[in-house]
Amino acid sequence: MTETQSEPSQDEQEPGKGAAVLGCVTILVVIVVVGGLIWGGVKLVRSYMAFESPLHYDVAKTTEVTAPAQPCHRITVPDLPEDKRRNLRAQLEHSVLVDTVRMTCDPNVKVACSSDCTATYGGAKISYQVTNMGSCMDLGDTQSCSYKITARERLLPQANLNEWFWRYGKSQRKGAKLRCDTLPGGAAVIPGDPVENAGAPKAETKTKYRCYARNRVTYVYDVVAARGSALIFEEAKVD
């Protein structure tokens, strides 16, 4: 009696086919997962690039800061005319004018002196105390008089503020858009500093004004007036 051999099953005929299918499925799953991660990363990067924090300032109440047309140190006051060089009052007014123009970066300053002096710029006015008045020396076509003038207040002009922040922002926040608070009348009066033990005015006075550097996020700076016309910018904490 002859035995009949049964034919092998399909799986027995192709033992590697199932493993191949499983491998293909695994590769497909890996591709889908990796692709999903890459796409998610791309969306995250796009979302970050598009992110912009709140401005932290009112555009309408600020002024754009750009490169100055003329640096402040190049703005000068003409010498006192020859016909006024023997006039003490004219000398005082000229000295005050020079000091105030150095503050304002603008020669359009009005000065008046009597016993003391006042300087007016835009809507701001400051006073100067005149002390140590001494004798005058006749030098022919001119008269040299000794005196000391001391500003009781200081001016914070828009032009000077913008120039100082332009230099600061350009070096500290490259590529950022720069703005500063708009000063009413073009200048603000900084009250006189309290006198320290050494008898000299306090070196720095924090003002209520701010400047801003914007590059997707806003960096906010308090404006601090130093001696003379120098300004310092201190990064402020904002909510």
Side-chain angles (χ1 to χ4, degrees):
M1 184 173 179
T2 306
E3 292 185 6
T4 305
Q5 291 183 336
S6 60
E7 295 184 2
S9 65
Q10 188 173 0
D11 290 341
E12 291 175 337
Q13 292 176 355
E14 302 179 20
K17 186 176 181 179
V21 171
L22 180 61
C24 289
V25 171
T26 302
I27 293 173
L28 182 61
V29 170
V30 170
I31 291 173
V32 170
V33 171
V34 172
L37 291 173
I38 294 173
W39 176 244
V42 170
K43 289 184 67 176
L44 185 63
V45 171
R46 286 180 177 177
S47 176
Y48 172 76
M49 295 299 291
F51 170 76
E52 290 191 2
S53 69
L55 284 178
H56 296 303
Y57 60 86
D58 184 347
V59 175
K61 295 181 180 180
T62 60
T63 300
E64 182 180 6
V65 174
T66 57
Q70 183 178 19
C72 288
H73 69 273
R74 293 185 181 176
I75 299 175
T76 58
V77 175
D79 292 336
L80 192 66
E82 289 187 11
D83 61 340
K84 293 185 177 181
R85 292 178 184 175
R86 298 181 62 84
N87 186 308
L88 175 58
R89 179 174 175 177
Q91 290 184 35
L92 288 173
E93 291 180 346
H94 186 264
S95 296
V96 170
L97 179 63
V98 169
D99 282 4
T100 311
V101 168
R102 192 177 295 120
M103 280 191 241
T104 60
C105 300
D106 190 337
N108 295 316
V109 175
K110 294 180 180 180
V111 176
C113 293
S114 53
S115 56
D116 285 340
C117 301
T118 60
T120 305
Y121 177 74
K125 179 183 290 187
I126 61 173
S127 61
Y128 286 82
Q129 182 180 17
V130 181
T131 57
N132 295 345
M133 292 291 295
S135 59
C136 294
M137 182 181 298
D138 195 332
L139 300 177
D141 60 348
T142 187
Q143 183 175 244
S144 176
C145 300
S146 62
Y147 55 83
K148 179 181 179 181
I149 55 172
T150 306
R152 292 189 176 96
E153 303 87 19
R154 282 180 290 174
L155 285 173
L156 175 64
Q158 192 79 58
N160 196 34
L161 173 60
N162 289 3
E163 179 176 332
W164 276 86
F165 193 60
W166 167 256
R167 292 202 301 264
Y168 179 86
K170 187 173 61 172
S171 63
Q172 298 295 316
R173 301 294 177 189
K174 294 181 179 179
K177 295 180 179 179
L178 308 177
R179 301 188 75 87
C180 286
D181 287 341
T182 301
L183 307 180
V189 175
I190 303 172
D193 296 324
V195 175
E196 297 177 337
N197 294 332
K202 189 172 63 176
E204 299 174 1
T205 303
K206 185 176 179 179
T207 73
K208 63 180 181 179
Y209 300 101
R210 286 178 163 181
C211 289
Y212 316 88
R214 175 77 174 175
N215 191 359
R216 288 203 307 270
V217 297
T218 304
Y219 299 93
V220 181
Y221 299 91
D222 290 322
V223 179
V224 178
R227 287 182 178 172
S229 59
L231 298 175
I232 300 170
F233 301 97
E234 296 180 347
E235 191 164 351
K237 293 182 179 180
V238 293
D239 298 330

